[in-house]
Amino acid sequence: MPAPQGLLIVEDNKSSAMLYRAWLSSLVDDISVAYTGQAVTDLLDQGMHPAVILLDMHLPDTTGIELLQQLHARQLTSKVVVITSDASAEL
């Protein structure tokens, strides 16, 4: 597995994803965005190994918890920052 590099933003709201990207682009050169859990799976299957994953808890095709379980099963060493805009969300 390649050394982890870059940032993967996992956020289904395109406006929020682009805002995060704009905020973080001065700190990180390599930023990718995925809008669904399937898109994350596809990127990982293609060999992506991000150093950091910014993970939304609510995605259209899966939950952040389910995606975390998939990441754990792949034994990725990525650091994960969990985000949500749902003030009532229970983690």
Side-chain angles (χ1 to χ4, degrees):
M1 183 174 296
Q5 63 182 30
L7 168 69
L8 174 59
I9 298 170
V10 184
E11 169 62 70
D12 63 316
N13 181 296
K14 292 183 181 184
S15 296
S16 294
M18 293 302 103
L19 184 61
Y20 298 145
R21 183 181 205 143
W23 283 340
L24 296 167
S25 64
S26 65
L27 301 172
V28 181
D29 291 328
D30 183 11
I31 300 177
S32 299
V33 178
Y35 301 108
T36 65
Q38 184 60 53
V40 173
T41 300
D42 292 345
L43 288 170
L44 296 176
D45 287 346
Q46 294 169 16
M48 175 182 262
H49 186 182
V52 177
I53 300 172
L54 191 61
L55 176 62
D56 185 11
M57 282 285 98
H58 302 285
L59 299 168
D61 59 345
T62 190
T63 67
I65 297 298
E66 290 170 348
L67 199 50
L68 278 170
Q69 291 169 339
Q70 292 175 26
L71 296 171
H72 180 73
R74 289 175 179 260
Q75 299 180 341
L76 291 182
T77 59
S78 306
K79 305 297 183 204
V80 179
V81 178
V82 175
I83 57 173
T84 185
S85 61
D86 184 353
S88 66
E90 293 183 27
L91 300 178

